[in-house]
Amino acid sequence: MVLAAGMGKRMRPLTATQPKPMVRVAGKPLVDHALDKLAEAGISTAVVNVHYLADSIEAHLKERKEPAIVISDERDQLLETGGGLMRAAEKLPDPFFCLNSDNIWLDGPRNAFADLSTFWDADRMDALLLLVPHKGARNFTGMGDFHMDAHGKVSRRKPRKIAPYIFTGIQLIGKRLLRDAPEGAFSTNILWSRAIEEGRLYGVPFTGQWFEVGTPKAIKPTEQALSNGE
């Protein structure tokens, strides 16, 4: 699943007349960077949720040959990340990859999706997050998101402390994570917190380069790095 329904407020003014997934970086819309990676990994179908300026995203996605696109329509209500997963759940396999539509990354020695697949263990995990250390996170200036123990089990950053890993926006989710979910709009963080309490949220370190492209000022340095193959 590709999450593409957000309002893109941090990317204003570029998102005043276009949804964030359609903002162009290095010659193509952000959403195509994500979908191209899925196609390269051999993933045949992607569910894409839409809300803000949904018609433009749908029209663009109709031109794609692979992966095949299935739309999860949120025009009636923006459901946030967790609610978006719930609306699309019947369209998704178990487990399924989930990624943000504004993700740009360069793989390391192995494909990111192959790394997640290799480490996945449905008996122990509800979700497996792709986590990047600070040295591999370009344009990122935050304090990090998670700690990870020697077995890959994840815990959250403590208040006013730095955590060594940043969530890339890419994960592998078992449908067990979605059980007994709230109705309507809610954040996936609610489901993650329960998984942490149950010892079922895991991470795998990403060995490539990941680009935070959340604001207009991040576009140029990202394009420069991609053109140099960094």
Side-chain angles (χ1 to χ4, degrees), residues 22-103:
M22 293 301 297
V23 172
R24 300 182 77 85
V25 177
K28 63 184 176 183
L30 282 166
V31 69
D32 283 335
H33 286 275
L35 291 168
D36 286 351
K37 287 288 191 180
L38 289 172
E40 289 170 11
I43 294 166
S44 60
T45 303
V47 177
V48 182
N49 67 340
V50 295
H51 172 77
Y52 177 61
L53 300 177
D55 289 351
S56 65
I57 299 178
E58 279 201 82
H60 176 72
L61 295 179
K62 285 179 180 177
E63 302 300 319
R64 287 197 67 95
K65 292 183 172 59
E66 56 181 357
I69 303 298
V70 176
I71 295 295
S72 181
D73 197 327
E74 296 179 24
R75 284 176 172 86
D76 60 328
Q77 180 187 6
L78 181 59
L79 293 170
E80 299 184 42
T81 52
L85 292 179
M86 293 305 299
R87 176 161 293 187
E90 293 184 357
K91 300 178 173 71
L92 296 165
D94 187 13
F96 62 94
F97 293 111
C98 179
L99 62 156
N100 297 335
S101 60
D102 58 354
N103 272 343

Side-chain angles (χ1 to χ4, degrees), residues 89-142:
E90 293 184 357
K91 300 178 173 71
L92 296 165
D94 187 13
F96 62 94
F97 293 111
C98 179
L99 62 156
N100 297 335
S101 60
D102 58 354
N103 272 343
I104 294 180
W105 72 93
L106 295 172
D107 283 314
R110 284 167 51 86
N111 178 286
F113 300 110
D115 273 343
L116 288 167
S117 298
T118 298
F119 281 89
W120 177 252
D121 183 348
D123 292 335
R124 293 186 298 131
M125 303 171 184
D126 286 350
L128 179 62
L129 313 183
L130 189 68
L131 302 175
V132 64
H134 285 261
K135 66 179 181 180
R138 307 292 288 269
N139 307 325
F140 183 81
T141 58

